[in-house]
């Protein structure tokens, strides 16, 4: 009998099929060819029929050349680090596309000469925090702190409270970061209580700066006390305040969360913050403060290694100048609106075991620890969790007491239709 494997179409024939050739133009020939080869191997092993090779190749091709997949965040964590932190606004996404080609990132179109890199984004950041004498942007908040240590305390001491020597995630610790810059840490106070006098007693000729760190991803409660920025500002040395979560001005829903404007008014020399948390923009490290000190940071040789690219600058400017980003919208979403959306989804999913439940969301991303945001969720059988994660788009929820909860505070209203169809496909 003839070998059925002879009926498996050749690689060049599959690649020449019009639909697959079109996909190769969008995804790249090598990526598509790899999928074709995988499907051909399965056909040779008898796992699928030779006549199905083309259709299965088309089904297995990714939506894009990147392996990253879009995810609907239904976890209830507004700034979810594992899902990329802040989702960008439509204005920021448009800015990314505009900046994807040749752009005037450091070119003056009027004169035809070189211009300051990212001047639009820097101007937008300066306008957002008028209390700052100058601003600068690096690639994340850890880089901002590293640059401060490199420029202000090489071979010198950084005075910091023992209660603020935090681990910043994935095993990286603040003491290790600062010491890698050649600085020495002068620890003062205790884990739970540190006074302004503790800092004052430690300051000497070797002091590079005093560092005040907001412990943004945990809380110490009970018998505690800490020095304020106002108390530390008068110690005669630079004061660097790491506020962490990127709040530029006070937020009514987060009264205990430090912000850049208030820190500068209290006397901080330099404030460092993240761009992809409560600001709602791309990953970036923000440096705001005294003009002379910020210029010193900007001109340090390491600043070149820590600089951001044109895409970050474009998205940051659009976030600062544009409409409210999704993070701000999610924080402010009224519970009654979330309940209306949930009721509408349940009505549309009338054949699914789903009902509306009360929920509690979190800010996430190391911001506002302990703050609970009342919310509303869809409750489904637990088996939906894995099935939803495997879909396109993927949906990430959380499992609580054998139920899969899809928290609508972190689902954008325009994603409701996609969420509904994702649930329906898993039913």
């Amino acid at each position: 009998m003839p070998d059925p494997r002879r009926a498996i179409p050749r690689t060049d024939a599959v690649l020449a099929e019009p639909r697959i050739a079109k996909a190769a133009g969008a995804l790249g020939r090598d990526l598509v060819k790899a999928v074709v080869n995988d499907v051909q191997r399965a056909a040779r092993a008898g796992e699928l029929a030779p006549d199905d090779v083309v259709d299965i190749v088309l089904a297995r091709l990714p939506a894009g050349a990147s392996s990253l997949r879009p995810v609907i965040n239904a976890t209830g964590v507004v700034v979810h680090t594992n899902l990329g932190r802040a989702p960008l606004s439509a204005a920021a996404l448009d800015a990314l596309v505009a900046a994807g080609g040749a752009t005037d990132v450091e070119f003056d179109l009027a004169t035809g000469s070189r211009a300051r890199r990212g001047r639009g984004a820097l101007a937008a950041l300066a306008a957002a925090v008028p209390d700052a004498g100058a601003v600068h942007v690096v690639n994340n908040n850890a880089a901002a702190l590293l640059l401060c240590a490199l420029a202000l305390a090489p071979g010198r001491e950084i005075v910091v409270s023992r209660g603020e020597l935090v681990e910043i995630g994935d095993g990286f610790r603040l003491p290790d970061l600062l010491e890698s810059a050649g600085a020495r840490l002068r620890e003062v106070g205790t884990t739970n209580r540190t006074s302004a006098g503790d800092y004052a007693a430690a300051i000497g000729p070797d002091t590079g700066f005093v560092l005040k760190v907001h412990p943004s991803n945990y809380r110490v409660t009970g018998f505690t006390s800490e020095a304020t920025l106002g108390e530390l500002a008068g110690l005669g040395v630079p004061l660097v305040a790491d506020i962490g979560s990127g709040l530029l001005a006070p937020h009514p829903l987060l009264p205990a969360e430090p912000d850049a404007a208030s820190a500068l008014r209290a006397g901080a020399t330099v404030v460092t913050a993240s761009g992809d948390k409560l600001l709602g923009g791309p990953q970036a490290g923000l440096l705001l403060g005294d003009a002379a000190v910020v210029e010193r940071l900007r001109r340090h040789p390491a600043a070149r290694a820590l600089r951001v690219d044109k895409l970050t600058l474009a998205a940051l400017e659009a976030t600062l100048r544009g409409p409210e980003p999704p993070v701000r919208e999610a924080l402010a979403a009224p519970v009654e609106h979330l309940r209306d959306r949930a009721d509408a989804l349940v009505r549309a999913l009338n054949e699914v075991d789903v009902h509306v439940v009360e929920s509690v969301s979190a800010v996430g991303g190391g911001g506002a620890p302990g703050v609970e945001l009342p919310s509303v969720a869809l409750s489904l059988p637990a088996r939906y969790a894995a099935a939803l994660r495997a879909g396109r788009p993927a949906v990430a929820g959380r499992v609580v007491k054998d139920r899969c909860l899809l928290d609508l505070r972190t689902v954008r209203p325009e994603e409701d239709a996609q969420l509904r169809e994702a649930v329906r496909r898993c039913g």
Side-chain angles (χ1 to χ4, degrees), residues 1 26 56 81 95 99 118 157 159 189 210 223 259 282 303 387:
M1 294 182 66
I56 292 175
T81 296
E157 291 183 343
V159 180
V210 168
F223 185 57
D259 65 275

Side-chain angles (χ1 to χ4, degrees), residues 88 92 95-96 99 105 117-118 121-122 137-140 275-276 281-286 306-320:
L88 296 179
L96 288 175
V105 63
R117 181 180 180 84
L122 295 172
V137 180
V138 291
N139 53 24
N140 62 16
D276 57 350
Q283 176 181 296
L286 312 181
L306 303 175
R307 81 176 189 178
V308 294
D309 71 339
K310 61 181 180 177
L311 301 180
T312 300
L313 290 167
L316 178 61
E317 181 178 0
T319 299
L320 290 163

